[in-house]
Amino acid sequence: MNTPCWTLNKGINSEGYSTLWLNKKTILAHRAAYEIFVGPIPDGLQIDHLCRNRACVNPDHLEVVTRKENILRGMSPTA
């Protein structure tokens, strides 16, 4: 990555994702950032953090992928 992570230090949930309060509900900040800077997230797809930092909201670090691809790229034993 040629750009640093953009990390929101407040509103980190128990899974390590940055969150925002919008329209009286909590949303995942990386999904909001992607939609603001890149465009809509197609139905059935997820956002993968290429930097592996779940709190990052830098759109250059985010990519739309299938659930399977997101799992296979991860660090869990399932991957």
Side-chain angles (χ1 to χ4, degrees):
M1 310 262 128
N2 293 333
T3 57
C5 289
W6 299 353
T7 304
L8 302 177
N9 293 323
K10 289 190 176 183
I12 304 289
N13 71 13
S14 63
E15 296 175 337
Y17 293 99
S18 294
T19 60
L20 299 170
W21 181 252
L22 182 66
N23 296 328
K24 299 183 181 181
K25 67 179 186 174
T26 301
I27 62 168
L28 294 171
H30 66 284
R31 293 180 62 84
Y34 187 90
E35 290 187 339
I36 290 166
F37 292 104
V38 180
I41 301 166
D43 288 341
L45 296 182
Q46 300 180 345
I47 300 296
D48 183 28
H49 289 86
L50 301 174
C51 58
R52 312 304 340 136
N53 177 0
R54 290 180 173 185
C56 180
V57 297
N58 183 337
D60 291 338
H61 297 192
L62 306 175
E63 183 178 27
V64 174
V65 295
T66 64
R67 176 169 164 67
K68 180 179 179 180
E69 183 68 22
N70 204 2
I71 290 169
L72 290 174
R73 290 180 177 181
M75 306 292 243
S76 71
T78 308

